[in-house]
């Protein structure tokens, strides 16, 4: 039996773990479908950063602890500036047409003249137009404005083969409709 692995990446402040767990069925994290990497969000101090194709791009790192290929990716994001004065958004959301999923090699911290790690050589790139988007929760910010969080799930057209012990960087960039006023961020 072929076992699929998933990468669940969140950059700071996407939404609290209990919303994530409540929003998915228990079978989503069964032994038959193990999670490759899970990074829980920081709902108190995190920020949402625009990440749209072709730029700007946001990336986050993970270390491979299981060499099986990554076959699907799950993440959270929101539309910056959309319905910020409403505690509950009027759906549907502005909409994303797809995502560019990119995986990079790691440039370690303390490399010459670089005091922090960051993405290096592009190792994998796929455009994905089939995905699910699910509204999950609205978050109130200290300034009284709201941010509305969505959960995304997609299968990679080609699995990413990785090496155990290696650090990689994942970038998720939304392909937006040209007429949208609200960039997507994670």
């Amino acid at each position: 039996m072929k076992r699929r692995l998933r990468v669940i990446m969140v950059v700071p402040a996407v939404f609290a773990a209990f919303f994530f767990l409540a929003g998915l069925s228990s079978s989503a994290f069964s032994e038959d479908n193990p999670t490759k990497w899970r990074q829980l969000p920081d709902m108190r101090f995190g920020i949402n950063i625009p990440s749209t194709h072709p730029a700007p791009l946001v990336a986050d790192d993970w270390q491979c602890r299981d060499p099986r290929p990554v076959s699907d990716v799950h993440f959270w994001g929101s539309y910056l500036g959309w319905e910020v004065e409403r505690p509950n958004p009027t759906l549907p959301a502005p909409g994303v047409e797809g995502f560019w999923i990119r995986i990079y090699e790691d440039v370690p911290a303390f490399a010459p003249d670089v005091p922090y790690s960051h993405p290096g050589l592009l190792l994998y790139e796929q455009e994905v137009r089939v995905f699910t988007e699910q509204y999950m929760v609205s978050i109130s910010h200290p300034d009284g404005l709201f941010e509305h969080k969505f959960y995304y799930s997609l299968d990679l057209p080609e699995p990413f083969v990785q090496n155990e012990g290696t650090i990689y960087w994942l970038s998720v960039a939304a392909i937006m409709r040209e007429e949208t006023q609200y960039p997507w961020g994670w």
Side-chain angles (χ1 to χ4, degrees), residues 45 55 69 80:
F45 299 109
L80 284 71

Side-chain angles (χ1 to χ4, degrees), residues 4-8 24 27-29 33-38 69-74 151 153:
R4 294 168 32 134
L5 293 174
R6 63 181 70 223
V7 173
I8 298 175
L24 296 176
S27 64
F29 300 102
N33 200 9
T35 299
K36 179 95 177 132
W37 176 262
R38 186 179 308 159
V70 175
S71 60
D72 49 308
V73 182
H74 307 264
Y151 170 77
S153 179

